[in-house]
């Protein structure tokens, strides 16, 4: 995990909504379960000593799936959390946009 990553919103953090409010939580969990299956499949490929490039193809597919999920989560966060919070208190805009920018940088560099 990243040093600044947390499992809960920081104290005083305003959020105008969440992906869970829109029913997206179930879709995210389903996608994560499929990725979990992909990761287990990759482990089986190692155990069966399959061809390295075939394994790398699956690793690439899993990485792309994670990246896609992350970008979708950023999009939902902007639509529901950031927009809602800024509507409640426009003074939070700069802080919230900085947080999103940092999250995007982690996705790009991670």
């Amino acid at each position: 995990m990243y040093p600044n990553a947390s499992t809960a919103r920081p104290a005083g953090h305003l959020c105008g909504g969440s992906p869970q409010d829109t029913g997206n939580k179930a879709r995210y969990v389903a996608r994560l379960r499929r990725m979990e299956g992909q990761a287990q499949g990759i482990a089986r490929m190692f155990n069966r000593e399959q061809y390295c490039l075939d394994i790398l193809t699956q690793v690439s597919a899993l990485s792309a799936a994670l990246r896609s999920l992350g970008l979708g989560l950023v999009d939902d966060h902007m639509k529901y959390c950031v927009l809602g919070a800024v509507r409640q208190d426009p003074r939070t805009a700069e802080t919230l946009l900085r947080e999103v920018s940092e999250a995007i940088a982690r996705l790009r560099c991670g």
Side-chain angles (χ1 to χ4, degrees), residues 40-52 55:
Q40 291 170 354
I42 293 169
R44 283 191 299 274
M45 291 176 80
F46 271 103
N47 289 333
R48 294 176 184 156
E49 298 181 6
Q50 291 188 341
Y51 186 53
C52 293
I55 295 171

Side-chain angles (χ1 to χ4, degrees), residues 9 15-28 76 80-81 88:
R9 291 183 189 124
C15 188
S18 73
Q20 292 89 332
D21 296 340
T22 64
N24 287 344
K25 179 180 178 181
R27 284 195 294 271
Y28 283 122
D76 279 351
Y80 304 110
C81 297
Q88 290 175 23

Side-chain angles (χ1 to χ4, degrees), residues 14 22 35 38 42 45 70 93 98 109-110:
L14 294 174
T22 64
M35 287 182 243
Q38 282 181 283
I42 293 169
M45 291 176 80
R98 185 179 63 249
C109 300

Side-chain angles (χ1 to χ4, degrees), residues 57-71:
T57 298
Q58 295 307 310
V59 168
S60 177
L62 180 56
S63 294
L66 279 168
R67 197 168 28 261
S68 175
L69 182 133
L71 291 172

Side-chain angles (χ1 to χ4, degrees), residues 66-104:
L66 279 168
R67 197 168 28 261
S68 175
L69 182 133
L71 291 172
L73 190 55
V74 166
D75 187 56
D76 279 351
H77 180 67
M78 293 287 292
K79 287 178 188 172
Y80 304 110
C81 297
V82 173
L83 188 58
V86 169
R87 284 179 178 153
Q88 290 175 23
D89 183 357
R91 296 171 295 179
T92 64
E94 188 175 328
T95 299
L96 293 170
L97 291 175
R98 185 179 63 249
E99 288 176 354
V100 170
S101 180
E102 290 168 358
I104 292 169

